[in-house]
Amino acid sequence: MRKRLQNITSKGIPAAVILALLAIWQLFSGAGVIPKFMLPSPLEVGQAFFGEFPLLMEHAKATLAEAFLGLLGGVILAFLAALLMDWFPYVYKGMYPIIVLTQTIPTIAIAPLLVLWMGYEMAPKITLIVITTFFPITIGLLDGFRSGDPDAADLFKAMGASKWQIFRYMKLPGSLGHFFAGLRVSAAYSIVGAVISEWLGGYYGLGVYMVRVKKSYSFDKMFAVIFLISAISLLLMWLVDLFQKLVMPWERVKEEK
């Protein structure tokens, strides 16, 4: 009973805060504190969302395809990078500073170069998403690989286990929590990276749609697509949580206790 009450409270408080913010927004917009063409009311944003829903879904398909392919590439690259850095110390010393350096360059500065080199199709967008998403996963996996119990590793070695067996049966299962923590962040980054890359050109995508409605000063549609992007990001994070529970059932058992 107490756990159910805690679940209701944990979900009810954020919902109440969101409703309060929407009410304040509606009051500000209705009072004319900010001109309506600059700050449409939540009701107008909702009308724009449902009125443009079919078109938004068409653009969302392109953005989701780019985000999925980019995130998949980021996961693969992160796994290879973390594995090499964990196995070979000299690779860690040479690669880690470069990985950190890639995160100091603003994505908005890289995007025009990628478009110039690769054109306006999906390739530059996927590349930007890979650059954006692989870092949290790489760091999470590397920390997970190195968080294993040294005594357990020594026991594996004493029993004649190879380096690959130690990795497969000890390091990899122990790093799953770190991996999903990084994947949760990268899933949200993938949508943001896709939208940023679409701002610079393309034919379909939520970023392309945003640029078009901004030029026509349709700020109600602008807010509608912003809410859709936020909703998609939250949905992806929820899917990662669901996938984690499927892959790590022992964590679910701990939560139930």
Side-chain angles (χ1 to χ4, degrees):
M1 185 66 181
R2 177 184 291 180
K3 186 175 181 180
R4 184 179 298 177
L5 182 61
Q6 289 176 347
N7 290 334
I8 295 173
T9 304
S10 64
K11 294 177 182 178
I13 293 176
V17 172
I18 292 173
L19 289 174
L21 291 174
L22 289 174
I24 294 171
W25 179 4
Q26 182 69 38
L27 289 173
F28 265 81
S29 180
V33 176
I34 300 176
K36 270 190 173 293
F37 75 93
M38 294 180 63
L39 183 65
S41 68
L43 293 176
E44 292 170 334
V45 173
Q47 291 173 355
F49 177 82
F50 290 108
E52 294 285 305
F53 188 77
L55 183 59
L56 284 172
M57 291 300 101
E58 287 297 321
H59 286 288
K61 288 179 184 177
T63 301
L64 283 171
E66 295 160 0
F68 174 77
L69 293 173
L71 184 59
L72 179 62
V75 170
I76 294 172
L77 180 63
F79 185 83
L80 293 175
L83 183 62
L84 290 172
M85 286 190 291
D86 179 63
W87 280 15
F88 306 106
Y90 61 89
V91 174
Y92 172 81
K93 293 178 181 178
M95 186 181 291
Y96 189 82
I98 296 175
I99 292 176
V100 173
L101 184 63
T102 61
Q103 302 306 300
T104 63
I105 305 172
T107 53
I108 197 67
I110 303 174
L113 295 174
L114 295 176
V115 171
L116 181 65
W117 295 335
M118 301 180 183
Y120 291 99
E121 298 295 335
M122 292 182 68
K125 301 173 179 63
I126 293 173
T127 303
L128 183 66
I129 295 167
V130 170
I131 295 172
T132 305
T133 58
F134 91 100
F135 180 77
I137 302 174
T138 302
I139 299 303
L141 278 172
L142 187 61
D143 288 345
F145 293 159
R146 297 189 168 191
S147 65
D149 186 358
D151 294 333
D154 291 338
L155 179 60
F156 270 88
K157 292 177 182 177
M159 297 175 67
S162 64
K163 196 171 186 179
W164 168 251
Q165 289 174 323
I166 294 173
F167 172 79
R168 179 182 175 184
Y169 294 108
M170 190 190 80
K171 288 189 174 184
L172 185 59
S175 67
L176 287 177
H178 297 267
F179 166 72
F180 281 107
L183 183 61
R184 197 174 295 109
V185 175
S186 294
Y189 281 1
S190 66
I191 298 297
V192 175
V195 171
I196 290 175
S197 63
E198 289 166 352
W199 284 348
L200 301 173
Y203 307 103
Y204 292 100
L206 294 175
V208 175
Y209 179 85
M210 289 181 73
V211 172
R212 291 175 182 172
V213 298
K214 186 183 77 170
K215 289 180 178 178
S216 62
Y217 295 96
S218 301
F219 289 106
D220 54 344
K221 298 176 182 178
M222 186 83 169
F223 276 98
V225 74
I226 290 172
F227 283 131
L228 178 58
I229 292 168
S230 299
I232 291 174
S233 298
L234 291 174
L235 177 61
L236 289 177
M237 294 175 70
W238 176 77
L239 289 175
V240 171
D241 285 336
L242 182 62
F243 185 49
Q244 181 178 4
K245 290 177 181 178
L246 293 174
V247 175
M248 304 174 64
W250 58 88
E251 291 293 330
R252 185 171 53 191
V253 173
K254 288 181 182 178
E255 290 177 2
E256 291 175 355
K257 290 180 179 180

